[in-house]
Amino acid sequence: MEFSQEDFDRLLLFEHARKTAESNYAQNPLDADNLTKWGGALLELSQFQNIADSKNMINDAISKLEEALLVDPVKHEALWCLGNAQTSQAFLTPDIDEAKVFFDKARDYFQKAADENPSNELYQKSLENTDKATELHMEIHKHGLVQQTLGGGPSASSNEKTSKKKKKSSDLKYDIFGWIILAVGIVAWVGMAKSHVPPPAPR
């Protein structure tokens, strides 16, 4: 799977966030913020895996986020991230009936997050987008685009048709992940990063 420089930078950023959260957890397993960041990092990293590894990573993310809710049951960031995790699972599930179960769970989590923080536009947007999710799911599975967006796709060739298909696949990737996972970073890090700036490297 080839990464753009931007993807590679994101991969490094979230890998750093995952390791930081893991070491913080060893010191304080009851920090809901840290657990949310850990779950969010795993969700982001799941995009860079093949489908089987991606599903495993999403399941790990779900367990961290559920742990965060055990500590703080109304933590809206964790609720929202769980909605993203369920949506991701749905898109990785070819069977539409099984996928709908995940979409329904996602809607519940997005609704709870929006209830806890009604002024958050991202939560409202996620809730609205869940209504379009089934249609998008059918579209991407009809074209077999999940394989391509998650590293299982055909290698690029000089064939123009392939590059057009790859472009469509890449556009769809951002359709899917644009409102599912990419935004996790916005909530989980932009807000929290200010108070958790990594220490400068020793000279």
Side-chain angles (χ1 to χ4, degrees):
M1 184 177 186
E2 289 177 39
F3 296 134
S4 68
Q5 185 59 47
E6 190 185 342
D7 280 346
F8 188 67
D9 291 345
R10 285 181 55 246
L11 181 64
L12 291 179
L13 172 73
F14 293 112
E15 184 54 30
H16 172 77
R18 183 190 68 76
K19 286 180 177 164
T20 304
E22 201 170 342
S23 77
N24 289 346
Y25 181 79
Q27 293 160 9
N28 179 8
L30 297 176
D31 180 344
D33 267 355
N34 187 59
L35 283 160
T36 303
K37 279 192 258 184
W38 194 354
L42 288 167
L43 267 186
E44 291 277 357
L45 291 168
S46 73
Q47 289 177 76
F48 298 98
Q49 318 302 316
N50 63 38
I51 289 178
D53 291 345
S54 185
K55 283 183 173 179
N56 289 337
M57 208 168 251
I58 293 166
N59 284 329
D60 285 350
I62 288 170
S63 72
K64 300 291 178 289
L65 294 163
E66 286 176 342
E67 212 175 316
L69 289 179
L70 287 175
V71 178
D72 180 357
V74 294
K75 184 155 190 60
H76 52 84
E77 296 93 343
L79 288 163
W80 183 75
C81 283
L82 271 165
N84 288 312
Q86 297 295 339
T87 308
S88 303
Q89 288 284 44
F91 279 117
L92 294 178
T93 304
D95 183 282
I96 188 65
D97 293 326
E98 283 178 48
K100 277 179 179 164
V101 175
F102 288 119
F103 285 134
D104 288 345
K105 285 185 188 172
R107 170 173 263 292
D108 289 346
Y109 283 123
F110 289 142
Q111 185 65 64
K112 285 177 186 167
D115 290 347
E116 290 304 324
N117 188 353
S119 62
N120 189 311
E121 288 177 23
L122 193 54
Y123 297 173
Q124 297 295 345
K125 186 88 178 139
S126 300
L127 195 52
E128 288 164 25
N129 278 328
T130 311
D131 298 332
K132 305 171 199 162
T134 311
E135 195 182 319
L136 184 57
H137 178 281
M138 290 193 284
E139 181 70 17
I140 63 167
H141 283 281
K142 186 170 78 180
H143 296 293
L145 292 170
V146 168
Q147 281 300 122
Q148 293 173 46
T149 57
L150 277 168
S155 59
S157 76
S158 56
N159 183 325
E160 197 181 317
K161 195 173 171 188
T162 306
S163 69
K164 277 187 180 161
K165 195 168 180 185
K166 263 192 120 62
K167 173 151 177 40
K168 181 163 187 185
S169 151
S170 156
D171 291 347
L172 255 159
K173 175 178 178 176
Y174 287 103
D175 262 8
I176 301 163
F177 289 122
W179 57 271
I180 305 172
I181 296 175
L182 299 184
V184 172
I186 298 165
V187 166
W189 281 276
V190 174
M192 300 179 196
K194 292 167 191 156
S195 55
H196 295 87
V197 178
R203 289 175 185 276

